[in-house]
């Protein structure tokens, strides 16, 4: 059987037609495509750490860390290297293969980047894959991160270009595309996705997936977050997303980006085990693991373990160094 074609020319009509399929047909199609590229019973797990928390100058309407919103969050300075190493070692001992460090910056200064590079070097030294999310980058900064051996850079589109202005005003959709280009051109694996349940329309969800899939390369990792509603943020109280519609979005992402890891990201504390199982069936094959995301809660690792056992799923181990670079993405 020939493998599904990797496409970068999806039309909105085609994507909306996928969303409109009978649920069982959609999930079956997504699961078939999933099996062409992945072991259906394996899941890649990453643990997150906020290395610099709060007081961010951006105004992202969902975020607990924006200085523009009145949330309860305490601001913190950049964490010292030893605390980062301790957190990464613990994550490794619990089975995480990747450690993802997030900073509440609009963009890193070159001095900040020196310190983050020390963290990347140390975490790689533990035998873990590394991911960072630091805001906008310049081209030389992306190259420095590549030279440091960074495996993944996370930078989300967050939503459709049309809905974007309702969520963020301090940087543009194009700024995000520019950073993603620098990361991709540097040869770092791209992690980029968005958030559902911010009051966007079904068309916005289709448009966001269209933007992701029609990039010159599919992001190797596509996080699909469900909004974690944080009191004090503008999006607190937004219309959420129906669980079935969320699962459909995962399936459509899987069909459009067959070789990418689709990451079931924020919002799992609000999802039943059964909803998560449907997401795996729809093609989600990675997630965040450990009790904390950046500033909000994630399910207990022990609970996730039990879920994997109930579903007969295994956590993927860290790949060999030689397999790590840009394995896929079309
Ligand atoms: N400051 C950097 C940036 O925005 O690029 C990195 C950290 S930021 C917290 C990373 C991503 O987390 C955001 O782009 C957004 O998609 C997601 N995120 C943040 N807060 C969230 C929330 N309350 N619910 C769901 N996803 C959220
Ligand atoms: C992503 O798409 N989701 C993660 C990761 N990339 C950095 C972050 C989720 C943050 C959820 C809200 C919080 O904990 O602050
Ligand atoms: Fe700042 Fe990132 Fe939060 Fe936006 S999502 S406010 S850039 S930390």
């Amino acid at each position: 059987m020939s493998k599904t074609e990797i496409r970068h020319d999806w039309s909105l009509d085609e994507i909306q037609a996928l969303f409109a399929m009978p649920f069982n047909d959609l999930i079956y199609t997504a699961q078939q495509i999933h099996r062409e590229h992945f072991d259906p019973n394996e899941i890649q797990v990453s643990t997150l750490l906020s290395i610099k928390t709060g007081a961010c100058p951006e105004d992202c309407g969902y975020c607990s860390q924006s200085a523009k919103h009145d949330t309860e969050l305490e601001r913190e300075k950049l964490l010292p290297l030893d605390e980062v190493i301790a957190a990464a070692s613990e994550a490794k001992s619990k089975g995480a293969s990747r450690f993802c460090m997030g900073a509440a910056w609009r963009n890193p200064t070159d001095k900040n980047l020196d310190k983050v590079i020390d963290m990347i070097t140390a975490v790689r030294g533990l035998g873990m894959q590394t991911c960072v999310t630091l805001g906008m980058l310049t081209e030389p900064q992306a190259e420095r991160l590549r030279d440091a051996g960074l495996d993944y850079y996370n930078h989300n589109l967050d939503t459709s270009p049309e809905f974007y202005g309702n969520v963020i005003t301090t940087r543009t959709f194009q700024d995000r595309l520019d950073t993603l280009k620098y990361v991709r051109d540097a040869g770092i694996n791209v992690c980029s996705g968005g958030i559902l349940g911010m009051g966007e329309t079904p068309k916005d969800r289709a448009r966001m997936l269209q933007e992701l899939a029609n990039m010159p390369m599919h992001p190797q990792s596509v996080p699909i977050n469900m909004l974690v509603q944080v009191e004090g943020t503008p999006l607190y109280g937004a219309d959420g997303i129906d669980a079935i519609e969320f699962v459909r979005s995962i399936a459509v992402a899987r069909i459009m980006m067959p070789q990418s890891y689709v990451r079931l990201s924020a919002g799992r504390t609000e999802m039943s085990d059964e909803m998560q199982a449907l997401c795996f069936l729809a093609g989600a094959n990675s997630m965040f693991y450990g009790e904390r995301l950046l500033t909000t809660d994630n399910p207990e690792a022990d609970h996730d373990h039990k879920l994997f056992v109930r579903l007969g799923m295994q956590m993927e181990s860290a790949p060999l160094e030689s397999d790590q670079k840009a394995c896929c993405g079309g």
Side-chain angles (χ1 to χ4, degrees), residues 106-323:
R106 174 174 166 80
N107 54 270
T109 62
D110 288 338
K111 249 173 103 180
N112 291 148
L113 207 65
D114 291 339
K115 294 196 173 137
V116 173
I117 284 174
D118 289 344
M119 295 174 186
I120 293 167
T121 307
V123 174
R124 291 192 90 223
L126 298 172
M128 296 181 87
Q129 293 186 337
T130 51
C131 173
V132 295
T133 178
L134 314 171
M136 289 188 282
L137 295 180
T138 62
E139 200 171 356
Q141 285 180 328
E143 287 164 2
R144 285 191 62 203
L145 288 169
R146 186 259 332 272
D147 293 343
L150 178 70
D151 297 295
Y152 285 78
Y153 193 83
N154 166 247
H155 199 64
N156 290 340
L157 293 184
D158 277 351
T159 190
S160 69
E162 295 76 22
F163 192 67
Y164 186 89
N166 297 57
V167 181
I168 301 140
T169 68
T170 47
R171 68 178 165 207
T172 64
F173 197 81
Q174 186 59 46
D175 289 332
R176 292 185 183 250
L177 294 175
D178 292 347
T179 291
L180 290 171
K181 178 178 178 352
Y182 303 145
V183 171
R184 187 169 57 236
D185 289 353
I188 300 169
N189 291 307
V190 169
C191 174
S192 188
I195 309 178
L196 310 184
M198 298 194 292
E200 74 284 346
T201 62
K203 183 176 172 188
D204 288 313
R205 294 192 274 274
R207 283 282 294 120
M208 180 182 90
L209 294 177
Q210 183 183 29
E211 289 286 332
L212 290 167
N214 289 353
M215 285 185 198
M217 265 168 85
H218 294 167
Q220 283 80 12
S221 163
V222 180
I224 306 292
N225 296 275
M226 190 172 84
L227 176 69
V228 178
Q229 298 214 355
V230 179
E231 231 176 308
T233 60
L235 288 177
Y236 185 70
D239 289 341
I241 179 173
D242 168 66
I244 298 292
E245 185 66 11
F246 186 91
V247 177
R248 280 182 180 275
S249 308
I250 298 270
V252 174
R254 165 53 64 227
I255 292 168
M256 294 173 69
M257 294 171 276
Q259 297 176 320
S260 304
Y261 280 81
V262 175
R263 183 174 299 275
L264 180 56
S265 301
R268 289 199 300 115
T269 53
E270 299 301 311
M271 297 179 196
S272 66
D273 289 347
E274 293 78 9
M275 176 176 169
Q276 293 182 61
L278 276 178
C279 289
F280 301 142
L281 195 61
N285 61 342
S286 60
M287 64 186 212
F288 292 115
Y289 167 74
E291 285 71 23
R292 205 89 182 126
L293 292 166
L294 290 172
T295 67
T296 65
D297 290 342
N298 200 38
E300 298 282 321
D302 190 44
H303 186 94
D304 283 339
H305 264 291
K306 287 188 178 132
L307 180 59
F308 296 154
V309 170
R310 286 165 73 203
L311 297 175
M313 291 174 76
Q314 274 100 43
M315 293 199 285
E316 190 183 287
S317 50
L320 298 172
E321 177 113 338
S322 53
D323 299 337

